[in-house]
């Protein structure tokens, strides 16, 4: 009996080892923000979004197909989206109240629970890469402000002038938001209305991947809120709120009203519901979005340890794309 | 039958209402950090810690006895500890690598889940009060760096020069840490050793209170790590990591290796274990401390919705004090 068990175990281990390094499933999902995307926008705009999502998806897919790590896939997908001016991350980031850009990002390794994040960086071309370097080269998790920019100098990542992030579209959104703020301030001088409830809030980008080694990773990057106060940090660089990954449960990247996502510890909450309440990834994401967050707060993408993918949102739409090793894939904006 | 049920219901409601506003239980617990506190330190030092803990406890207790809110109790207890140079929060905060002080704090209202936090503030005498003002006067949750100091100017809280926070004891700790760092750097030039594993890491202060209206609140304040990088943010200002409060479950304030507390979303995790895994507050705090966090990572204080108090730590000791409306109370450093 003992030898039979040992034999079975050996065969099982061999199969597992084989599966884990060569033919195993991989999966990837990414988002470019959730919000009220009017369906009557020009066809060229819709096509430009779809093309950008496809570019990013292919970049991540290629890394995973070749046996690369989920961390590399997540970082590279997000770099692609940070480079693209359509999304509110990297180039194309929204403006603060002071008409500058302050960028946030985080990344987490589901295998080790190692994580890194940066907040309020102003001259780093790819905040997601700096977040990864915080994870890999420091004993800290979160670096913010001038100290984070100084760390960028130490580690030698690509730098840009703050104006590099500016686009005409985002400047128009700031002008509109400040105009609305002036009107509101006249109506209620005591109320701080720096958080504008406008379409422009939801532009965060994020990615979750499961690689052929069975490792999950997740990352998120954003320019934050149009017209935000200098120094405001949302959920994107907060591990447990905008980003979480654990091989034991799932990887999550969130987008929406950052303050609500912090208050409800959204990304970790989904993981906790899988672990402690026996929910599926889909059930957990649905519960947090519909029973905890206020209506229309945003969206969640995620992958569980078995490779199941979730894309859920309570807004009109969410820019998103996914692919799996079984050949299925999709790029969508609305339902 | 219908009238009997109605009558019972009415009596029940009356009793509940009475309990909730006049004679109901209140509870308060506070900490001044967990760490390796040598028992052979001078008796005067031990007495000074005990006296400071008692001062803070009495201040919170008086507010609760008189029917004040848990938020007021938490804020005022933490202000008292911030004023006291023995603790690593406000005056007495540790030094950064640049020999300056960068302070973090957060506060959360368990009734509404409203929360506010500040990070890397340099001239705010009571960071916990600024955190509360972020919660009450802005639409944001977390403000960091120069933007947070600017918000302090707008709302007119007490300001100080950065040197106000300095004490000789903390300067000696920085010198020691940097000396150790130089030795380590010679041994391994590539390794970032800015996170010193020294006794001085654990000085964060925090408080959780349950008031006579049945509302929980929690708050945490810290100077962070001795010799930390400029811009480093630990768990104290991260809602879900160092601080969480929900009337549905518990209030939590944590202290320890901030990076580990962020990675494991400690404060929210305790709340999630109560809500989703049916654990008691004590079981939940024990599980997170002993089964998730690395050994010796720190401590947790908390109160659940029924007024049960927990003080748990995996370090040699934790400065702590608690009191309840039934007259029981205690001030302790070791077991």
């Amino acid at each position: 009996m003992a030898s039979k068990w040992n034999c079975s175990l050996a065969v099982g281990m061999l199969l597992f080892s084989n599966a884990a390094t060569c033919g195993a499933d991989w999966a990837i999902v990414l988002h470019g923000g959730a919000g009220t995307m009017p369906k009557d926008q020009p066809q060229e705009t819709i096509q430009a979004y779809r093309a950008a999502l496809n570019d990013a998806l292919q970049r991540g897919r290629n890394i995973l197909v070749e046996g690369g790590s989920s961390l590399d896939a997540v970082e590279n997908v997000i770099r692609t989206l940070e480079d693209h001016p359509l999304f509110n991350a990297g180039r194309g980031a929204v403006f603060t109240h002071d008409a500058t850009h302050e960028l946030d990002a985080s990344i987490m390794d589901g295998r080790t629970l190692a994580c890194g994040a940066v907040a309020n960086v102003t001259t780093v071309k790819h905040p997601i890469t700096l977040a990864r370097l915080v994870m890999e080269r420091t004993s800290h998790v979160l670096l913010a402000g001038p100290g984070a920019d100084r760390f960028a100098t130490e580690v030698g990542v690509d730098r840009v002038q703050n104006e590099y992030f500016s686009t005409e579209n985002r400047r128009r959104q700031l002008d509109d938001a400040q105009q609305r703020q002036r009107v509101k301030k006249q109506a209620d001088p005591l109320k701080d209305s720096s958080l504008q409830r406008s379409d422009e809030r939801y532009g965060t980008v994020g990615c979750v991947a499961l690689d052929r080694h069975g490792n999950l990773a997740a990352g998120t990057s954003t320019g934050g809120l149009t017209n935000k106060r200098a120094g405001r940090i949302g959920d994107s660089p907060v591990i447990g709120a905008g980003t979480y990954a654990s091989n034991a449960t799932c990887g999550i990247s969130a987008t929406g009203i950052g303050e609500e996502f912090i208050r409800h510890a959204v990304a970790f909450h989904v993981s906790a519901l899988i672990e402690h309440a026996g929910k599926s990834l889909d059930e957990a994401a649905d519960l947090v979005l519909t029973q905890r967050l206020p209506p229309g707060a945003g969206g969640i993408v995620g992958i569980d340890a078995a490779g199941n993918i979730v894309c859920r949102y309570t807004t009109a739409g969410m820019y998103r794309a996914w692919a799996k090793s079984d050949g299925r894939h999709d790029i969508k904006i609305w339902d």
Side-chain angles (χ1 to χ4, degrees), chain A:
Chain A
M1 276 299 279
S3 82
K4 185 181 164 197
W5 279 106
N6 284 343
C7 183
S8 301
L9 191 65
V11 171
M13 284 172 71
L14 187 68
L15 285 172
F16 179 80
S17 165
N18 193 40
T21 53
C22 305
D25 287 346
W26 56 262
I28 186 164
V29 60
L30 61 93
H31 68 82
T36 54
M37 291 108 179
K39 289 196 183 181
D40 57 0
Q41 57 194 303
Q43 199 57 35
E44 309 88 82
T45 309
I46 294 172
Q47 284 310 321
Y49 272 109
R50 292 182 57 91
L53 293 168
N54 188 54
D55 275 358
L57 184 66
Q58 291 311 321
R59 191 150 176 200
R61 187 188 163 281
N62 291 343
I63 290 168
L64 295 172
V65 165
E66 289 168 16
S69 75
S70 51
L71 270 179
D72 284 344
V74 165
E75 182 190 355
N76 280 284
V77 162
I78 293 178
R79 283 174 67 104
T80 306
L81 296 167
E82 285 174 340
D83 284 339
H84 208 296
L86 279 177
F87 301 104
N88 174 21
R91 191 160 136 68
V94 299
F95 285 88
T96 67
H97 184 74
D98 303 334
T100 61
H101 305 280
E102 296 185 345
L103 310 178
D104 305 335
S106 66
I107 193 163
M108 187 159 185
D109 180 348
R111 184 175 65 87
T112 59
L113 303 188
C115 44
V118 294
N120 298 339
V121 294
T122 56
T123 60
V124 175
K125 191 175 182 188
H126 297 112
I128 193 67
T129 293
L130 192 64
R132 183 164 178 182
L133 290 167
V134 169
M135 173 175 86
E136 292 178 345
R137 303 222 193 143
T138 81
S139 48
H140 299 322
V141 163
L142 174 54
L143 289 182
D149 279 298
R150 212 165 82 188
F151 174 66
T153 304
E154 284 176 43
V155 291
V157 295
D158 289 348
R159 304 297 280 282
V160 290
Q161 297 291 312
N162 194 249
E163 297 76 36
Y164 160 83
F165 301 113
S166 302
T167 56
E168 271 318 295
N169 187 33
R170 298 299 186 192
R171 194 175 296 275
R172 229 174 6 248
Q173 291 175 350
L174 175 66
D175 292 344
D176 290 352
Q178 295 194 333
Q179 174 58 26
R180 286 194 302 271
Q181 189 176 26
R182 276 189 291 273
V183 171
K184 275 192 181 172
K185 201 113 196 156
Q186 282 171 349
D188 185 354
L190 290 176
K191 194 168 166 66
D192 171 69
S193 52
S194 57
L195 176 52
Q196 293 297 318
R197 300 214 159 223
S198 73
D199 302 356
E200 296 85 48
R201 281 180 311 173
Y202 312 109
T204 300
V205 308
C207 178
V208 181
L210 172 70
D211 64 29
R212 292 189 142 167
H213 313 281
N215 294 319
L216 286 161
T220 310
S221 180
T222 191
L225 296 175
T226 295
N227 200 30
K228 68 184 178 184
R229 272 181 182 278
R232 177 263 186 182
I233 297 177
D235 63 320
S236 300
V238 175
I239 295 296
T243 302
Y244 205 75
S246 166
N247 279 3
T249 53
C250 62
I252 296 290
S253 172
T255 174
I257 307 175
E259 281 70 13
E260 295 292 345
F261 282 69
I262 293 175
R263 190 186 328 289
H264 293 282
V266 166
F268 183 81
H269 203 162
V270 173
S271 169
L273 283 164
I274 293 172
E275 183 173 5
H276 301 304
K279 301 285 184 196
S280 70
L281 173 64
D282 193 56
E283 290 167 343
D286 182 60
L287 189 155
V288 174
L289 273 171
T290 62
Q291 293 178 41
R292 297 304 165 96
L293 289 164
I300 290 171
V301 303
I303 303 177
D304 69 16
N308 297 301
I309 291 177
V310 70
C311 299
R312 278 197 176 264
Y313 51 95
T314 54
T315 48
M318 177 164 71
Y319 300 112
R320 61 200 191 274
W322 59 267
K324 293 185 75 161
S325 48
D326 62 10
R328 288 183 298 154
H329 58 93
D330 205 0
I331 298 176
K332 274 193 160 177
I333 302 176
W334 299 280
D335 280 342

